[in-house]
Structures are given as C-alpha cells and as structure tokens.
Amino acid sequence: MSAETRDAGYDEFLDAIASDEGYYLACPEGHGSVPPTPRCPVCGEPDLSEEPLSTTGVLEDQTRIHVAASGFEGETPYVVGIAEFGPVTMTGRLRGGADADLDTGAAVVPSVELSDTTGSRMLVFRPSK
Ligand SMILES: [Zn+2]
C-alpha cells in the first residue's frame, strides 16, 4: 500500500468523523481497527466491514507534549490523548476545558479540527458535555 493510498483512506476517515458518521473496521472475529488498514491487525483477516463508531469515547491515557514534532513547535504545550471507542482505540489531540486536563475515564467526543500552525486536519477529542 502506498503512502498516497493511506492518506486517501485517512482523509475519508476524517471526513466521516467530521460529518458525525465515524466508522471503524471490523473483522469477522470481532476485532476492531481504525481505517485505513488493509487487514485486521490482530488476526490478519482481509475481509473487513465498516461499522458505526461510538459517538463517545473513554479517555484511557494522556500525555502533555512540551517538545513537538517538526511542524508543531508553535503549539506546545499540547495534550495528546488515547481514547477507547468500543472495540477501537484512537489517538488524538485533547482540546477544550483546561486544554485539557481530563481525568482518565472521562467521556470524550471525537471531532476534526485544524492544527494552529500547519492548518492541516487532525483528530481532536473534546470533553463530552
Ligand atoms: Zn481480526
């Protein structure tokens, strides 16, 4: 799979999240994965179906970033969170609240927002109201 194909798949995934039609990929064994992926990362099954993504996730972990990756220097410090949405776990930027000192276990909702410095789209988690 080329990088171009991967980006195209990820753009579609972000489009779906942005229009509240988020989905994940499920294999016949019930393993979930985040698009795009050609086969189940757990069992290798290539026959994946799109299933509706839960609209609310549970924050599992978070890390405050002080030294950013190239291109994100102007945004530090920021917080990256890992949230579980049923069978899939996703990584995204935490925004909202105190930007965003959420407790582990807090409910978060996914959205697609723009990076302050690069203007590119990224996955963002905000506290669930
Ligand atoms: Zn599987």
Side-chain angles (χ1 to χ4, degrees):
M1 177 182 266
S2 73
E4 196 177 320
T5 307
R6 270 200 305 278
D7 286 350
Y10 193 64
D11 277 343
E12 284 175 17
F13 176 65
L14 291 181
D15 286 345
I17 297 267
S19 45
D20 289 330
E21 294 174 350
Y23 61 93
Y24 69 96
L25 300 175
C27 81
E29 300 296 319
H31 306 130
S33 54
V34 176
T37 181
R39 33 183 89 237
C40 175
V42 178
C43 68
E45 171 64 49
D47 183 21
L48 305 178
S49 61
E50 293 183 3
E51 301 294 334
L53 185 71
S54 171
T55 53
T56 305
V58 176
L59 187 65
E60 289 193 324
D61 201 1
Q62 58 186 302
T63 303
R64 185 169 294 272
I65 306 294
H66 293 280
V67 179
S70 176
F72 293 98
E73 292 90 345
E75 298 183 43
T76 56
Y78 59 86
V79 181
V80 171
I82 299 173
E84 181 190 289
F85 293 79
V88 292
T89 300
M90 302 194 295
T91 301
R93 186 80 60 91
L94 287 187
R95 283 182 171 174
D99 215 29
D101 271 325
L102 298 175
D103 292 327
T104 299
V108 293
V109 292
S111 63
V112 177
E113 299 178 17
L114 300 180
S115 160
D116 292 335
T117 51
T118 67
S120 58
R121 299 193 305 166
M122 61 184 186
L123 187 60
V124 170
F125 302 139
R126 287 187 175 272
S128 176
K129 299 284 186 248

